[in-house]
Amino acid sequence: MDKVQLEERVKELNKLLHETGYAYYVKDQPLVPDAVYDQYLNELIAIESEFPNLIYPDSPTQRVGGMILQGFYKVPHTYPMLSLANAFGRDDLDDFDRRIRAAIGDDFSYVCELKIDGLAISLSYENGVFVRGATRGDGRVGEDITENLKTIRSIPLRLKEPITLEVRGEAYMPKKSFIALNEFRVENEEEKFANPRNAAAGSLRQLDPKIAASRNLAIFVYAIGGDGEAYQLDSHAQALDYLDQLGFNTNPERQTCHSIDEVQQYIEKWTDKRLDLPYEIDGIVVKVNRYVHQQDLGFTAKSPRWATAYKFPAEEVVTTLLNIELTVGRTGTLTPTAILEPVQVAGSIVGRASLHNEDLIREKDIRIGDTVIIRKAGDIIPEVVAVVLAERKEDLPAFKMPTHCPACDSELVRIEDEVALRCVNPQCPAQITEGLIHFVSRNAMNVDGLGEKVIEQLFREGLIHDVADLFTLTKDQLLELERMGDKSASNLIAAIEVSKQNSMERLLFGLGIRHVGEKGAKILSEEFGDMKSLAQATVDQLTVIHEIGDKMADSVVRYFDNEEVQKLIQRLDTLGVNLSYTGKRVDLTNLDHVLTGKTIVLTGKLEKLTRQEAKEKIEQVGGTVSGSVSKKTDVVVAGEDAGSKLDKARTLGIPVWDENRLIEELN
Ligand code: IVH
């Protein structure tokens, strides 16, 4: 190609990429297969890198992320992002303080901080350079939102020291920006954001970083991810000062307190002053200061024992109860929901609240038409606190539960010692759809992209009647549904296909057998190994299992003793759904592995396995993973940038493995 031809080709590629990119990313209506798009792009990149004078300022290769993001990549967190246990008043605080004293004695201090109402973010730096930012996600795996985070000015792109570390913080939208944004949205006839937290989260989940850039977000960094001791720090207060020095934005209102009374004073001060802050806070975080103490206290499955989040008392407001709606759950239970005149409570508009069951309605004597006081329990879930009787109109009738199912009209029954009324018709459409929704939900078969609305449509259209039907769906069938694009249909089919490989416990949990929760499903799957053996089990065989009670055993046997169920299992099998437990069986007495019964400490960054995967694999062979190195540690597995734990292992003469050795031994 001569110079003129080359220039022509570049112009042409620019045009092609703009057109195909727009169709694909903006309109979600691809003009060409992805491979063709990639081919154009690669050709352009190749020419541009050789002839930089041909890079047009608006070349698709020069965009800030924007058009090229089609979604967010998932990123496993090196250290899980946990949440905090809550404290709702002085009693909870005293309990927290007592538990700590019982574990570590009286000689310690707390650090109190404002609990910023935004979203948790993890930021990774390599040699001082910001390389990745992620959302919390499920705590183990988040979403890579680096490009959007780069638009937040208070996130340093380069630190003052060339160090490698991960930090945690809260991204938020200042009150002023929130108000301005909502005003702008009203003017443009767009929907308002309910509160600054949603606005911040919504901004960071935009595929076009320019939107995030226009939203004036900010961040406060509140911790080092993982082991602070690796950075020669002794306490949380020191860590915050160090983060300050590195160039991060930490919240200046933190305070070290030496007693729970002092903590209480800090809380009282901010309960009054919080309205004056330029950002929203929803409570106070109280943390035990020194790392040695934190390590002694350790973690529960969900949260550290060394910290708690004090939540400000819920705001209560008055509104009118317009109706009581009854919904039928997957087990047939009827749940009443209060339909309210929408009101603003604690940062969002509330129009519904669960009333739980008939007893609650009777106890509080709640009647349609009443003036009621509502609040958000734990600041999240709306609830009806009480009726304002003084305002009751004279002849309001008491509320009566129906006698027949609102979904299928069959007669409702009250099962002995249960409060709830129940529809026992196995063909009830409401129960079936709820069951299907449960089946595909995250903790069950986890079918990405299959939401309630789609399930309801599929059922209404007669495309699915039971869970096995899901695996017979075709792309063409999906395309018939409202608002289902080509791409979503393909993705959905792929997600259903992948879900077939789930280990048995997910399927078992998904079937929704009464009394079989996630944990029960896991235990049963481990014990029986596959669905067909479980289906044969007797009550006696089940109840000998530790942690399986009579109720669950009985329910399992009854469930499988049904021809329809047996046919269903057979169909799932024929359709290629995995019926076996694929996580290895852990039975310490039968295991004979070098790591069986051993205590292993993982430190530094692992390349091939996530921490969680490594932990699971070690546990499968009967090993235990511990957080700190001591004389009792048998092996330390050190990844990249291992810090003080590695040093300690060496001092104590504990064997140190690298990740490859671990993988080798596990295999
Ligand atoms: S410390 C192990 N400090 O509150 C979790 N959290 O559940 C350590 N938050 O998801 C969290 N301000 O996003 C901590 N000063 C602060 C915070 C804070 C807000 C959020 C955080 C976390 C949630 C607690």
Side-chain angles (χ1 to χ4, degrees):
M1 259 191 244
D2 64 27
K3 218 181 130 205
V4 178
Q5 282 173 323
L6 207 59
E7 239 184 278
E8 279 313 303
R9 181 62 183 157
V10 167
K11 277 188 194 153
E12 189 180 16
L13 284 170
N14 267 284
K15 189 158 169 275
L16 282 169
L17 282 164
H18 277 308
E19 283 169 0
T20 50
Y22 178 78
Y24 184 86
Y25 293 110
V26 183
K27 290 280 167 197
D28 196 16
Q29 280 166 352
L31 291 175
V32 294
D34 295 6
V36 175
Y37 180 89
D38 290 345
Q39 207 181 316
Y40 295 153
L41 191 64
N42 290 334
E43 190 184 341
L44 184 60
I45 292 171
I47 302 175
E48 284 182 350
S49 56
E50 206 177 326
F51 304 100
N53 59 315
L54 294 180
I55 303 178
Y56 288 88
D58 66 344
S59 161
T61 62
Q62 302 301 298
R63 282 186 195 282
V64 236
M67 290 283 267
I68 314 195
L69 289 185
Q70 74 165 300
F72 298 112
Y73 286 103
K74 298 249 191 285
V75 270
H77 297 301
T78 316
Y79 312 96
M81 287 181 81
L82 302 172
S83 55
L84 296 174
N86 291 322
F88 288 105
R90 180 66 202 232
D91 286 353
D92 287 356
L93 271 184
D94 283 338
D95 286 347
F96 170 69
D97 186 59
R98 210 172 298 122
R99 282 196 299 274
I100 287 171
R101 278 171 206 285
I104 61 168
D106 295 329
D107 188 15
F108 69 96
S109 59
Y110 290 116
V111 175
C112 289
E113 287 164 35
L114 305 183
K115 187 168 181 302
I116 313 299
D117 197 7
L119 66 156
I121 294 295
S122 172
L123 305 172
S124 302
Y125 290 78
E126 277 169 21
N127 302 316
V129 177
F130 177 52
V131 290
R132 198 175 321 100
T135 61
R136 176 171 184 275
D138 64 2
R140 200 172 71 83
V141 179
E143 282 183 323
D144 186 332
I145 53 164
T146 312
E147 294 308 313
N148 282 334
L149 288 172
K150 275 186 184 167
T151 70
I152 300 184
R153 310 251 164 167
S154 45
I155 294 182
L157 298 180
R158 185 177 288 275
L159 301 179
K160 294 189 180 146
E161 286 174 32
I163 79 167
T164 295
L165 91 169
E166 204 177 307
V167 298
R168 302 284 160 81
E170 194 85 351
Y172 67 93
M173 183 175 285
K175 287 178 187 168
K176 247 195 191 155
S177 315
F178 170 71
I179 293 166
L181 174 64
N182 266 351
E183 279 171 5
F184 177 83
R185 289 175 76 88
V186 171
E187 279 164 26
N188 288 279
E189 294 177 15
E190 289 174 283
E191 211 171 306
K192 286 205 280 185
F193 283 109
N195 54 49
R197 179 176 4 97
N198 290 359
S203 306
L204 288 174
R205 291 208 80 271
Q206 295 287 335
L207 294 173
D208 181 358
K210 288 192 205 76
I211 299 181
S214 73
R215 296 274 170 90
N216 283 320
L217 300 175
I219 195 162
F220 282 120
V221 163
Y222 54 65
I224 291 181
D227 189 357
E229 281 186 332
Y231 302 90
Q232 280 74 51
L233 299 163
D234 168 75
S235 67
H236 179 62
Q238 273 185 15
L240 291 173
D241 291 343
Y242 180 53
L243 289 169
D244 250 358
Q245 277 172 36
L246 287 173
F248 289 105
N249 195 38
T250 60
N251 189 286
E253 315 297 354
R254 58 184 182 262
Q255 184 181 315
T256 305
C257 295
H258 295 91
S259 67
I260 204 73
D261 283 334
E262 226 181 299
V263 169
Q264 176 75 27
Q265 282 162 20
Y266 181 90
I267 290 173
E268 280 164 18
K269 169 173 142 191
W270 285 106
T271 307
D272 293 340
K273 274 180 70 170
R274 70 171 158 144
L275 296 175
D276 303 332
L277 286 165
Y279 43 84
E280 287 207 348
I281 62 173
D282 58 340
I284 300 297
V285 181
V286 187
K287 304 173 184 174
V288 170
N289 190 15
R290 292 192 59 202
Y291 286 143
V292 273
H293 290 147
Q294 292 187 1
Q295 281 153 11
D296 284 346
L297 287 157
F299 296 83
T300 68
K302 283 195 228 139
S303 48
R305 290 203 187 83
W306 43 262
T308 192
Y310 174 89
K311 293 295 202 75
F312 293 127
E315 180 193 353
E316 295 189 344
V317 301
V318 167
T319 188
T320 311
L321 178 66
L322 301 176
N323 195 8
I324 295 179
E325 213 174 78
L326 294 151
T327 46
V328 184
R330 80 183 148 89
T331 57
T333 324
L334 239 66
T335 312
T337 302
I339 307 299
L340 306 160
E341 177 75 52
V343 271
Q344 172 94 14
V345 197
S348 73
I349 308 274
V350 170
R352 307 167 69 86
S354 173
L355 293 169
H356 302 288
N357 54 50
E358 191 184 350
D359 278 10
L360 184 132
I361 300 177
R362 203 176 311 120
E363 254 165 46
K364 297 190 172 169
D365 187 19
I366 297 171
R367 305 182 185 192
I368 296 170
D370 265 336
T371 300
V372 290
I373 299 171
I374 66 164
R375 71 167 172 220
K376 285 201 206 150
D379 258 359
I380 304 178
I381 303 153
E383 65 179 12
V384 175
V385 183
V387 170
V388 186
L389 283 176
E391 293 195 18
R392 175 170 286 167
K393 289 177 210 78
E394 243 169 58
D395 46 5
L396 273 193
F399 178 73
K400 268 217 213 79
M401 288 294 268
T403 52
H404 289 75
C405 173
C408 69
D409 207 35
S410 60
E411 197 169 341
L412 298 169
V413 297
R414 190 178 305 278
I415 294 177
E416 242 184 289
D417 21 289
E418 282 184 19
V419 202
L421 269 177
R422 193 182 290 279
C423 165
V424 290
N425 168 17
Q427 303 302 327
C428 171
Q431 284 180 57
I432 298 175
T433 27
E434 289 299 324
L436 287 162
I437 291 166
H438 168 74
F439 185 74
V440 300
S441 65
R442 190 152 84 170
N443 296 337
M445 294 296 271
N446 191 23
V447 182
D448 236 5
L450 193 46
E452 272 178 44
K453 290 274 170 303
V454 179
I455 291 274
E456 277 163 11
Q457 264 194 78
L458 287 167
F459 182 77
R460 230 184 301 123
E461 301 293 326
L463 293 172
I464 51 174
H465 309 91
D466 62 24
V467 299
D469 292 340
L470 276 171
F471 302 100
T472 67
L473 288 173
T474 63
K475 189 174 160 188
D476 287 341
Q477 286 177 322
L478 293 181
L479 284 171
E480 306 266 301
L481 305 179
E482 288 156 33
R483 273 175 300 190
M484 175 69 70
D486 193 82
K487 195 149 175 251
S488 318
S490 301
N491 288 345
L492 201 47
I493 293 288
I496 293 174
E497 190 58 32
V498 169
S499 77
K500 288 183 182 172
Q501 301 307 320
N502 278 325
S503 182
M504 170 182 169
E505 66 275 18
R506 285 181 171 268
L507 177 64
L508 183 58
F509 175 56
L511 290 174
I513 305 168
R514 292 203 67 206
H515 306 299
V516 181
E518 245 184 293
K519 191 165 167 215
K522 178 110 197 280
I523 296 169
L524 291 171
S525 303
E526 277 172 357
E527 282 296 327
F528 288 88
D530 66 81
M531 201 66 85
K532 290 184 178 165
S533 317
L534 176 64
Q536 310 287 323
T538 61
V539 170
D540 287 345
Q541 281 171 326
L542 287 163
T543 43
V544 293
I545 302 167
H546 185 59
E547 292 183 285
I548 305 288
D550 292 347
K551 252 191 188 170
M552 204 198 304
D554 206 49
S555 170
V556 169
V557 170
R558 260 204 264 170
Y559 177 80
F560 285 107
D561 182 22
N562 174 322
E563 212 179 311
E564 291 301 315
V565 169
Q566 282 155 21
K567 276 195 209 148
L568 179 77
I569 304 293
Q570 189 50 53
R571 264 186 83 215
L572 287 169
D573 194 15
T574 315
L575 289 164
V577 179
N578 169 50
L579 302 182
S580 315
Y581 179 63
T582 50
K584 272 190 215 142
R585 222 184 120 115
V586 189
D587 184 348
L588 283 180
T589 53
N590 292 331
L591 279 176
D592 182 22
H593 188 277
V594 275
L595 293 181
T596 306
K598 297 281 160 55
T599 303
I600 293 97
V601 173
L602 303 171
T603 179
K605 200 168 148 194
L606 301 184
E607 298 286 358
K608 298 178 182 151
L609 299 174
T610 64
R611 286 255 161 159
Q612 187 61 24
E613 282 163 358
K615 183 164 182 281
E616 278 170 13
K617 286 183 193 284
I618 290 167
E619 286 170 354
Q620 275 166 16
V621 298
T624 319
V625 173
S626 147
S628 54
V629 179
S630 72
K631 273 184 267 173
K632 287 188 208 134
T633 310
D634 294 297
V635 175
V636 169
V637 176
E640 231 184 80
D641 302 316
S644 62
K645 290 185 190 169
L646 177 58
D647 296 345
K648 194 159 174 196
R650 295 218 168 102
T651 322
L652 294 173
I654 295 164
V656 176
W657 294 359
D658 63 9
E659 188 181 2
N660 288 333
R661 169 83 188 272
L662 174 69
I663 292 171
E664 237 173 77
E665 298 286 358
L666 287 170
N667 289 336

